[in-house]
């Protein structure tokens, strides 16, 4: 995660909340978080001293990740998360698990090249023809689509069965899903469009 990622995220979601050691990244980039949430096991005394005490929210339970702790305690129409893709694979998988479990809290995770988000039951995105669209079901799910080179109509998708990676948009895309649990992955250039589509009213 670089300073450019932080600046891009803040240009769309201007309230900065750090999950644990994300506070150090923010401070080193010249930004003061409005809140720091997590078990704080990655923040040493020097880092904590740089933060106003009233902005630090320690949640000591160890049954969830710092991303989970932060997302479930943020009230916002949509969240842009950075620093949760790349790095350790177990951390990435845990972040995707959180996207699905906390699907009532719209969130886009921004990676170096891609973004990923949990799809609402009804989704419409204005995409360019030929743009890569990957659909990954986190449990058995079915639905219907328009604007995809390979429609999902009539397919039974599942994480241990048929998945929908490396599909292509033919233009504006719609998804109508029969249940929650579908992750959508797109090039990160679609951040503004995705935020528009999933932001709570």
């Amino acid at each position: 995660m670089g300073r450019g990622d932080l600046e891009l995220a803040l240009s769309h979601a201007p309230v900065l909340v750090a999950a644990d050691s994300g506070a150090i990244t923010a401070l080193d980039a010249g930004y003061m978080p409005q809140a720091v949430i997590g078990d704080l096991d990655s923040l040493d005394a020097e880092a904590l001293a740089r933060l106003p005490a009233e902005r630090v929210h320690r949640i000591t339970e160890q049954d969830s990740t710092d991303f989970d702790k932060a997302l479930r305690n943020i009230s916002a129409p949509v969240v842009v998360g950075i620093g949760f893709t790349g790095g350790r694979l177990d951390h990435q998988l845990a972040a995707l698990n959180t996207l699905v479990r906390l699907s009532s809290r719209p969130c886009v995770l921004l990676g170096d090249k891609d973004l990923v988000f949990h799809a609402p039951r009804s989704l419409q995105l204005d995409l360019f023809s030929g743009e890569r669209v990957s659909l990954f079901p986190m449990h058995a799910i079915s639905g219907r689509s328009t604007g995809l080179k390979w429609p999902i109509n009539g397919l039974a998708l599942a994480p241990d069965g048929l998945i929908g990676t490396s599909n292509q948009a033919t233009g504006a895309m719609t998804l109508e899903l029969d249940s929650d649990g579908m992750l959508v992955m797109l090039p990160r250039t679609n951040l503004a469009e995705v935020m528009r589509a999933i932001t709570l009213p």
Side-chain angles (χ1 to χ4, degrees):
M1 178 183 68
R3 182 186 176 92
D5 293 326
L6 186 54
E7 291 175 347
L8 175 61
L10 288 171
S11 71
H12 292 280
V15 177
L16 174 58
V17 176
D20 205 312
S21 62
I24 298 173
T25 301
L27 290 168
D28 288 348
Y31 294 95
M32 174 60 70
Q34 294 296 308
V36 180
I37 301 172
D39 57 23
L40 308 188
D41 62 352
S42 301
L43 287 180
D44 58 22
E46 179 183 355
L48 285 170
R50 298 167 68 187
L51 298 162
E54 67 275 9
R55 297 190 180 192
V56 178
H57 306 276
R58 187 189 302 268
I59 302 174
T60 57
E61 55 90 356
Q62 294 296 305
D63 294 329
S64 63
T65 63
D66 290 317
F67 173 52
D68 185 301
K69 292 177 176 71
L71 188 58
R72 72 175 187 250
N73 285 285
I74 292 172
S75 178
V78 66
V79 172
V80 178
I82 58 174
F84 299 104
T85 64
R88 284 177 48 176
L89 183 58
D90 58 342
H91 287 175
Q92 293 179 68
L93 291 172
L96 299 180
N97 173 274
T98 297
L99 285 182
V100 174
R101 286 188 301 100
L102 300 182
S103 60
S104 63
R105 298 179 180 273
C107 179
V108 185
L109 295 183
L110 193 62
D112 290 341
K113 297 180 179 179
D114 299 320
L115 56 81
V116 57
F117 63 98
H118 178 269
R121 298 277 186 98
S122 181
L123 176 69
Q124 179 175 344
L125 293 169
D126 291 328
L127 302 176
F128 292 111
S129 179
E131 202 155 31
R132 175 175 44 83
V133 179
S134 287
L135 306 177
F136 195 94
M138 295 293 277
H139 59 72
I141 190 169
S142 59
R144 293 148 301 283
S145 66
T146 64
L148 287 177
K149 184 175 181 179
W150 295 284
I152 66 169
N153 305 35
L155 300 180
L157 304 173
D160 61 348
L162 185 64
I163 58 175
T165 58
S166 298
N167 208 325
Q168 289 181 22
T170 58
M173 180 195 79
T174 66
L175 291 178
E176 296 294 333
L177 301 170
D178 296 327
S179 61
D180 295 333
M182 182 69 82
L183 296 178
V184 180
M185 303 170 200
L186 298 166
R188 63 183 263 161
T189 51
N190 292 288
L191 177 59
E193 174 63 15
V194 168
M195 290 187 66
R196 178 203 62 74
I198 70 170
T199 297
L200 291 174

